[in-house]
Amino acid sequence: MNLPSQMIRSCRKRLFRWKVADSTGASVTGGALLTRTLVLRRLLLREVLADDETHVGLLLPPSNGGAIVNAAVTMAGRVSVNLNYSVTSEVLNACIRRAGIRHVLTSRKVMEKLSLDIDAEVFCLEDLRDKVTLADKAASAFEAYALPAAMLDRRLGLDKIRGDDELTVIFTSGSTGEPKGVMLTQENIRSNVEAMREVVHLTPDDVILGILPFFHSFGYTVTLWGPLALDMAVAYHFSPLDAKQVGKLSRARGATILLTTPTFLRSYLKRCKAEEFATLEVVVAGAEKLPASLCDAFEQKFGVRPIEGYGATELSPLVSVNVPPSRSQTADVDCREGSVGRPVPQVRAKVVHPETGETLPTGAEGLLMITGPNLMKGYMRDEAKTASVVLDGWYVTGDIARLDAEGFIHITGRESRFSKIGGEMVPHVLVEEAIGEFLSGGDDDEPVAVVTAVPDAKKGERLIVVHLPIEKTPAEIAAFLSQKGLPNLWVPSADSYMQVEELPLLGSGKLDLKLLASLAKDKFSVAV
């Protein structure tokens, strides 16, 4: 069954119980959610969208309204494109051009907070209020509460949806290059939602804390369509950085599931009260390495231990996840700390030699490849890039990993985060982990230094350390790295350090590696 059809049935199960809520204090029952979605669908088709308009831009934060607009666009038979409101106008407009967007749906409150110059017709949804007729309300209420679900499917044309129909375009974060438009289908997202339900054993009592933006693939799949399509609830807040409000919302709505990043977990650890996360049962972190010390501190304060998962926008995004003990329903091992879990149902992983493509044996490190029903349709209007990352039906993740005997995936590095220096591949992550260990003394896992690289005429590349204000000198750091046994080629020279007041982050919470590399090149361009 397709996602909008599943939404109809999940809303029917909670006709008079709250299904979505947000930090404004407003909550919406399943019946009201479906009614409002159907009203908005009618208005969009009648007042805003042209018959030949396929892709619709959305500029809305995680909220009751954001969920309703996404659902209405889908039920109107259009492809939703949630745009990243944390990027520049130039990047945003490049995405708009790529997707062929004519209308961007937003609100005045959102536009007042953003200083964006948008190359499309901006439509503020408040302008539709006066267009709603009594007939719109009556017809939508009848459809939502009384019309049999199968008849409503046919009335809305949902019975004609195919699995390979495009559902959304999500632009990649751009952490390592220009954003690419990832086309995800109905089956891509549906299979991911079903895998989430099956692996984490979701129940009608579950409440997801929806803090990831809908332009983020995890936000779109897990915290938008997850609760829309399944019998569960969600509570939204517009910013994962707003720790105090996230904590209050969690307590008010009895949140049981939190999906986030280690960066945001550190913020909650410092700023949220223990009782605010008392109902949490599942905390999944992704996007960056989850340190054991952070898990220890979070578990000690809140009584729930974060687990690690793994995904990519091109994979809808969920690939693998550890199963927390509170949700395990098997005697087999289904959680292994230090790994990113085992692939979810129907998803397969293999590790190959980065140069030859030969499949490597269990335990060997190599390039991680993934296949399954979650594999994207392709990059929008870019067949060459699609062909470069999808080989014989397998997605080339760009991550270096190994598979253990039980099938758990262990990420050990990223192909793009290696430098070839003097003919040897040097992993940035291992170098920055060693530097971090020395600078923090092992007591604090918050990143203080990131390793990037700039071109070098003699050795090919040169490692650069971008760091926050520190007390240690480059010479002391170099001495520690050598003492730890790192090869000389791995040790950044004393003149290869640059201080910044803060490490740049993307809206998703990931480090902005592209900007870090640019800062390093700007500073060290003369030296190379």
Side-chain angles (χ1 to χ4, degrees):
M1 189 178 292
N2 60 63
L3 289 166
S5 293
Q6 284 186 241
M7 177 185 167
I8 291 170
R9 288 150 181 82
S10 77
C11 286
R12 290 277 174 88
K13 290 177 180 177
R14 304 178 76 99
L15 274 178
F16 304 107
R17 290 182 296 151
W18 80 273
K19 186 164 180 65
V20 299
D22 60 27
S23 50
T24 65
S27 64
V28 184
T29 64
L33 174 65
L34 187 52
T35 302
R36 294 181 192 182
T37 298
L38 295 174
V39 168
L40 182 57
R41 172 190 176 274
R42 294 167 70 95
L43 292 170
L44 290 176
L45 291 174
R46 188 173 72 219
E47 306 287 346
V48 183
L49 304 177
D51 291 342
D52 62 344
E53 193 170 352
T54 56
H55 292 72
V56 182
L58 287 80
L59 209 56
L60 294 164
S63 59
N64 296 346
I68 290 168
V69 177
N70 267 278
V73 167
T74 298
M75 288 200 180
R78 303 306 198 270
V79 178
S80 62
V81 186
N82 285 273
L83 298 166
N84 187 342
Y85 38 77
S86 68
V87 299
T88 63
S89 296
E90 182 182 8
V91 172
L92 186 76
N93 288 325
C95 297
I96 287 173
R97 287 192 297 273
R98 173 76 63 174
I101 290 171
R102 297 188 215 170
H103 285 97
V104 173
L105 307 180
T106 185
S107 71
R108 285 196 174 81
K109 181 181 281 189
V110 170
M111 291 306 294
E112 286 169 3
K113 292 183 177 180
L114 302 175
S115 53
L116 292 170
D117 184 16
I118 299 174
D119 293 343
E121 185 175 343
V122 175
F123 191 91
C124 293
L125 293 158
E126 295 93 336
D127 294 341
L128 288 175
R129 284 177 185 157
D130 295 337
K131 308 284 187 181
V132 182
T133 66
L134 186 60
D136 290 329
K137 294 178 181 179
S140 298
F142 171 74
E143 291 170 340
Y145 286 89
L147 193 66
M151 291 182 67
L152 183 54
D153 285 344
R154 291 193 294 273
R155 188 162 177 161
L156 301 177
L158 305 184
D159 57 323
K160 295 181 173 61
I161 292 176
R162 298 178 304 167
D164 63 353
D165 285 346
E166 202 176 328
L167 173 65
T168 189
V169 175
I170 295 183
F171 283 88
T172 58
S173 62
S175 61
T176 57
E178 291 300 319
K180 298 178 286 289
V182 178
M183 298 183 293
L184 298 176
T185 66
Q186 286 274 348
E187 178 59 14
N188 287 155
I189 304 297
R190 190 211 62 79
S191 68
N192 232 225
V193 168
E194 177 59 22
M196 175 183 76
R197 183 197 65 78
E198 188 174 336
V199 172
V200 186
H201 306 292
L202 298 171
T203 75
D205 295 325
D206 275 319
V207 178
I208 288 185
L209 201 53
I211 57 171
L212 297 176
F214 296 153
F215 61 72
H216 187 284
S217 53
F218 268 101
Y220 184 82
T221 295
V222 178
T223 65
L224 175 63
W225 278 109
L228 288 183
L230 302 176
D231 184 12
M232 61 186 304
V234 62
Y236 292 117
H237 183 61
F238 61 85
S239 172
L241 295 167
D242 192 356
K244 290 185 178 180
Q245 288 301 320
V246 170
K248 288 180 182 178
L249 182 63
S250 174
R251 185 177 187 179
R253 292 294 170 182
T256 60
I257 298 173
L258 170 64
L259 290 102
T260 183
T261 69
T263 297
F264 299 144
L265 281 183
R266 294 184 186 99
S267 176
Y268 306 152
L269 185 61
K270 292 176 182 176
R271 297 177 178 86
C272 293
K273 300 173 183 176
E275 59 268 22
E276 291 176 329
F277 285 161
T279 55
L280 283 181
E281 297 178 16
V282 180
V283 177
V284 182
E288 52 188 287
K289 187 175 177 60
L290 177 63
S293 56
L294 176 57
C295 294
D296 293 340
F298 199 90
E299 183 180 25
Q300 183 176 0
K301 182 170 182 178
F302 299 113
V304 57
R305 190 170 186 84
I307 56 171
E308 198 164 0
Y310 172 76
T313 304
E314 290 86 348
L315 296 167
S316 304
L318 185 61
V319 170
S320 63
V321 68
N322 284 288
V323 180
S326 63
R327 296 300 174 105
S328 180
Q329 295 185 6
T330 175
D332 297 333
V333 176
D334 51 10
C335 183
R336 177 157 294 162
E337 200 155 302
S339 80
V340 293
R342 283 190 292 209
V344 297
Q346 299 187 65
V347 173
R348 289 186 292 150
K350 68 178 180 179
V351 171
V352 304
H353 191 284
E355 294 175 2
T356 67
E358 174 191 2
T359 300
L360 298 176
T362 298
E365 283 192 10
L367 188 59
L368 181 64
M369 309 271 282
I370 302 291
T371 191
N374 57 335
L375 177 60
M376 67 173 177
K377 193 168 189 175
Y379 292 128
M380 192 171 204
R381 299 189 176 93
D382 202 330
E383 292 183 5
K385 277 187 181 174
T386 301
S388 71
V389 298
V390 180
L391 306 178
D392 297 324
W394 290 80
Y395 175 65
V396 183
T397 66
D399 287 316
I400 305 300
R402 61 181 174 84
L403 294 173
D404 66 23
E406 285 77 33
F408 287 88
I409 301 172
H410 299 256
I411 305 295
T412 57
R414 181 153 183 86
E415 195 177 32
S416 62
R417 297 211 65 206
F418 280 73
S419 288
K420 199 158 191 177
I421 302 176
E424 183 178 336
M425 296 302 289
V426 179
H428 296 180
V429 173
L430 294 183
V431 177
E432 67 189 33
E433 283 180 354
I435 293 173
E437 177 188 341
F438 180 59
L439 295 178
S440 67
D443 296 329
D444 189 358
D445 52 39
E446 191 161 357
V448 292
V450 180
V451 174
T452 184
V454 298
D456 182 87
K458 293 181 179 179
K459 295 183 178 180
E461 286 187 278
R462 169 189 174 193
L463 296 182
I464 302 296
V465 181
V466 183
H467 61 86
L468 299 174
I470 55 177
E471 296 179 359
K472 306 293 186 182
T473 66
E476 290 173 321
I477 295 172
F480 173 81
L481 297 181
S482 297
Q483 183 183 354
K484 193 173 174 65
L486 267 64
N488 288 336
L489 283 177
W490 293 29
V491 180
S493 59
D495 60 349
S496 298
Y497 287 71
M498 68 175 291
Q499 180 174 306
V500 293
E501 289 307 309
E502 58 182 21
L503 297 173
L505 298 177
L506 295 165
S508 61
K510 292 182 183 179
L511 284 167
D512 191 338
L513 300 175
K514 182 184 173 188
L515 179 55
L516 283 163
S518 177
L519 291 172
K521 286 176 182 175
D522 288 345
K523 180 174 176 63
F524 294 96
S525 58
V526 176
V528 298

